[in-house]
Amino acid sequence: MVARNVNSIAILRTLRRARRTYYHIHSQPNARRLSTSHNDELVRVKRSENDNSVAVLSLNRPPVNSLSLEMCNAISSAVKDIEQDSDVQGLVLASSNPNILSAGLELTELYNPDPERLPVFWNAFQQLFIDLYGSRLATVAAIQGHAPAAGCMLAMCCDYRVMTDKKGRIGLNETLLGIAAPPWLGQLMVRTVGFRAAEMSLGLGRLYSPQEALEIGLVDRVVAGEAVMSNAIHEAESWARIPPQARGKSKLLTRQELLEALEANRAEDNDDFCSFVTGAKVQDDLKAYLANLRKK
């Protein structure tokens, strides 16, 4: 237990090194209020070279694909656009950075937040979960590196997860930053790995090695790093061959309850999160964490 917690802290330090230049530039008071230019390519979409029924959606927000308001909207829009093409039945969620799927939420959205923007941001994050978890597409996560926090959420939303066998760590580690996962995200972890494993994961902020993640069911396959994409595409192609009306209905049998629960309590969830994250203790913890990033 201690060793795993040490691993979690070590990975946080790795992510800090990746983020530090970004936050030095972007954490000025008004930075989070700026809208991303429509010319910025936050996500990239292409068809599989071998099978026209599979699309690849690559996250492309350097350095670590953190989820800002604009990034959440870009992913949601891309998923919806892909769904409009009836020829496409499978989707591989990947990253343009082979070292990380996503580092999680954009922390400058949470620290000293614009009170008007914060609920809009959380609404976009909720919508991203709804759009990806409830997609008609057969979704496969290609995890070539780390996937902590909301990066883990993106992976868990997919129908199948393929992960590198070496450098990656994955899990919901929000508690190490003083933030609790929202109820629907906690329930997603419970549904993915089971009650006890989820309880340990959420309470301790554990980040799992690829083999550990495979053992608890957080990922479905572990392969050599260079084989992640080919395996993910092959898996998506297999899922895409299942008759879509049967596959889609079967998917909702296990997912509709959680989706409907969030929809029914969406405003309350938004209020609860905004109240929690703007609390003095959470803000102090975020301030200390961001200050530490800028020092390194």
Side-chain angles (χ1 to χ4, degrees):
M1 289 171 61
V2 174
R4 286 180 179 176
N5 232 20
V6 170
N7 283 341
S8 296
I9 295 169
I11 298 306
L12 281 174
R13 288 171 179 164
T14 300
L15 295 177
R16 284 171 185 161
R17 287 195 294 271
R19 277 174 153 164
R20 64 190 179 193
T21 301
Y22 175 83
Y23 284 117
H24 178 75
I25 296 171
H26 290 81
S27 60
Q28 302 305 314
N30 292 322
R32 63 181 174 276
R33 298 176 175 83
L34 299 178
S35 297
T36 302
S37 167
H38 67 276
N39 292 320
D40 287 347
E41 204 174 9
L42 294 176
V43 297
R44 295 172 177 172
V45 178
K46 66 178 182 178
R47 293 290 185 93
S48 167
E49 295 178 359
N50 300 322
D51 189 336
N52 202 44
S53 69
V54 172
V56 178
L57 192 167
S58 296
L59 308 183
N60 186 48
R61 185 174 187 251
V64 289
N65 294 325
S66 54
L67 300 181
S68 63
L69 169 59
E70 292 80 10
M71 186 62 164
C72 289
N73 286 337
I75 301 170
S76 281
S77 295
V79 171
K80 292 174 183 176
D81 286 346
I82 295 166
E83 288 180 332
Q84 295 304 307
D85 188 338
S86 59
D87 290 335
V88 179
Q89 297 298 327
L91 172 67
V92 173
L93 181 68
S95 171
S96 60
N97 179 351
N99 295 313
I100 192 161
L101 180 65
S102 169
L105 297 181
E106 171 56 66
L107 296 182
T108 57
E109 296 280 10
L110 308 181
Y111 174 62
N112 191 23
D114 180 334
E116 294 183 358
R117 180 180 171 102
L118 180 61
V120 177
F121 163 70
W122 194 249
N123 184 73
F125 183 56
Q126 292 172 324
Q127 190 63 48
L128 172 55
F129 165 74
I130 291 168
D131 291 336
L132 189 56
Y133 190 61
S135 175
R136 72 162 183 83
L137 301 167
T139 52
V140 178
I143 310 166
Q144 296 175 287
H146 302 301
C152 180
M153 182 278 282
L154 293 175
M156 288 193 294
C157 282
C158 294
D159 298 301
Y160 198 90
R161 292 168 287 282
V162 181
M163 189 172 185
T164 178
D165 65 350
K166 294 180 180 177
K167 58 188 175 184
R169 293 293 185 274
I170 183 171
L172 296 181
N173 63 320
E174 287 87 347
T175 53
L176 298 182
L177 301 181
I179 301 173
W184 49 271
L185 183 50
Q187 284 301 310
L188 177 61
M189 177 62 90
V190 172
R191 287 166 174 261
T192 304
V193 303
F195 186 89
R196 182 55 178 160
E199 190 174 47
M200 298 288 283
S201 174
L202 293 166
L204 296 174
R206 281 188 175 174
L207 288 171
Y208 297 92
S209 70
Q211 191 58 44
E212 290 170 337
L214 181 65
E215 290 171 0
I216 66 170
L218 188 51
V219 300
D220 300 294
R221 188 184 304 170
V222 172
V223 299
E226 64 273 12
V228 170
M229 279 302 300
S230 60
N231 273 262
I233 291 171
H234 177 74
E235 191 66 35
E237 290 169 352
S238 297
W239 284 67
R241 286 194 288 270
I242 303 298
Q245 72 281 1
R247 176 177 47 73
K249 198 166 186 66
S250 297
K251 183 173 183 173
L252 286 179
L253 285 175
T254 57
R255 300 192 173 203
Q256 191 164 4
E257 181 181 13
L258 185 55
L259 289 165
E260 289 179 348
L262 175 56
E263 289 281 19
N265 297 285
R266 192 164 176 177
E268 181 180 354
D269 178 76
N270 197 313
D271 290 344
D272 287 348
F273 178 79
C274 291
S275 177
F276 173 77
V277 82
T278 54
K281 185 64 173 73
V282 174
Q283 287 296 303
D284 286 346
D285 289 344
L286 289 172
K287 180 180 180 180
Y289 181 77
L290 289 170
N292 190 41
L293 286 179
R294 297 183 197 114
K295 288 178 183 177
K296 296 186 176 184

